[in-house]
């Protein structure tokens, strides 16, 4: 990263660059990071429906094995408070409805709203949100999907413009290549009090340190001492708790 910065490859200014997708659509930058392949295609299409992002497959030099990290698959937990059986079953029923699978009328209503008002079918038969649907349903469904949702699926309607089928095929092809070297996080599905207490702060401080080192405000020699210090501030405890949970549920 230091070498790239020194070579002038980084776009000047804030490294977070909230408008990176817009700059890419405008041609101001040539590459940026996306959360997943489908997002890479969809976000660029949002700013310019005629553009399609090409997803770079991770590569490595010096005989090393490149890898791709699986997404965590979750952003939190949905808990049902202990109570009467009737209430618990009712809440589970609500969650079950929110997890309606792709292709069901329930999922269509949740994701797109009411036909005619919130969405219409395009010439290819795929639902597309209307202006009202984009304003009222899109964000609402995104919030509902944080409670629970069905397994992820690549859908043409998720990509702006008229290239949905093309984007689905291209994204799926990239995912197949990524799976070949994908690495799963063994802590997914396990809980650690130390992670809940320390990770947010630790992640922010680590990211700030990386930005400071790359921008030249701090020295690269500070990287290893940072993690050495953090071992006693939660890292070791985090590792122990995750390991204990993994072994218990093996």
């Amino acid at each position: 990263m230091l070498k790239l910065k020194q070579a002038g490859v980084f776009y000047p200014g804030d490294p977070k660059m909230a408008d990176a997708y817009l700059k890419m659509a405008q041609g101001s930058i040539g590459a940026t990071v996306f959360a997943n392949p489908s997002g890479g295609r969809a976000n660029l299409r949002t700013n310019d429906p005629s553009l399609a992002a090409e997803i770079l497959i991770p590569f490595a030099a010096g005989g090393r094995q490149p890898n791709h990290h699986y997404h965590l698959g979750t952003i939190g937990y949905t808990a049902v408070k202990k109570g009467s059986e009737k209430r618990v079953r009712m809440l589970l029923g609500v969650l079950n409805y929110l997890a309606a699978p792709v292709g069901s009328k329930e999922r269509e209503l949740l994701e797109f709203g009411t036909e005619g008002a919130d969405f219409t079918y395009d010439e290819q038969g795929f639902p597309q949100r209307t202006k009202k649907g984009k304003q009222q349903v899109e964000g609402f469904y995104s919030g509902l999907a944080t409670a629970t949702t069905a397994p992820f699926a690549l859908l043409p309607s998720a990509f702006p413009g008229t290239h949905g089928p093309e984007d689905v095929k291209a994204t799926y092809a990239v995912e197949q290549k990524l799976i070949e070297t994908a690495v799963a996080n063994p802590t997914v599905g396990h809980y650690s009090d130390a992670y809940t207490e320390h990770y947010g702060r630790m992640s922010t401080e680590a990211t700030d340190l990386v930005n400071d080192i790359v921008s030249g405000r701090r020295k690269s020699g500070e990287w290893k001492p940072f993690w050495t210090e953090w071992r006693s501030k939660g890292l070791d405890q985090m590792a122990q708790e995750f390991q204990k949970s993994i072994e218990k549920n093996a």
Side-chain angles (χ1 to χ4, degrees), residues 14-53:
D14 183 4
K16 295 181 180 179
M17 200 187 302
D19 61 343
Y21 305 146
L22 177 59
K23 280 187 168 62
M24 192 168 179
Q26 295 171 337
S28 299
I29 58 176
T32 187
V33 176
F34 293 94
N36 54 62
S38 60
R41 282 261 172 162
N43 280 296
L44 195 60
R45 294 278 197 208
T46 298
N47 290 292
D48 187 338
S50 67
L51 295 179

Side-chain angles (χ1 to χ4, degrees), residues 167-180:
D167 290 332
V168 167
K169 292 178 181 178
T171 302
Y172 180 76
V174 168
E175 289 180 342
Q176 298 313 295
K177 293 181 180 179
L178 293 175
I179 286 175
E180 294 177 3

Side-chain angles (χ1 to χ4, degrees), residues 43-76:
N43 280 296
L44 195 60
R45 294 278 197 208
T46 298
N47 290 292
D48 187 338
S50 67
L51 295 179
E54 290 295 327
I55 309 300
L56 297 177
I57 305 299
F59 54 88
R64 294 184 176 87
Q65 173 71 37
N67 61 57
H68 168 70
H69 292 274
Y70 278 118
H71 189 273
L72 293 179
T74 179
I75 60 170

Side-chain angles (χ1 to χ4, degrees), residues 103-109 112-130 157:
S104 66
K105 296 301 292 184
E106 292 85 355
R107 174 64 176 267
E108 182 181 80
L109 175 64
F112 296 100
T114 303
E115 182 181 358
D118 303 311
F119 79 93
T120 57
Y121 291 105
D122 62 20
E123 295 179 354
Q124 297 171 302
F126 303 121
Q128 298 290 346
R129 293 188 181 97
T130 61
S157 53

Side-chain angles (χ1 to χ4, degrees), residues 138-150:
E138 188 170 335
F140 182 64
Y141 173 70
S142 177
L144 290 177
T146 62
T148 186
T149 187

Side-chain angles (χ1 to χ4, degrees), residues 210-226:
V210 169
N211 289 335
D212 286 343
I213 291 174
V214 173
S215 62
R217 293 189 293 268
R218 298 174 70 173
K219 302 295 183 181
S220 59
E222 296 182 56
W223 182 245
K224 287 185 177 180
F226 170 82

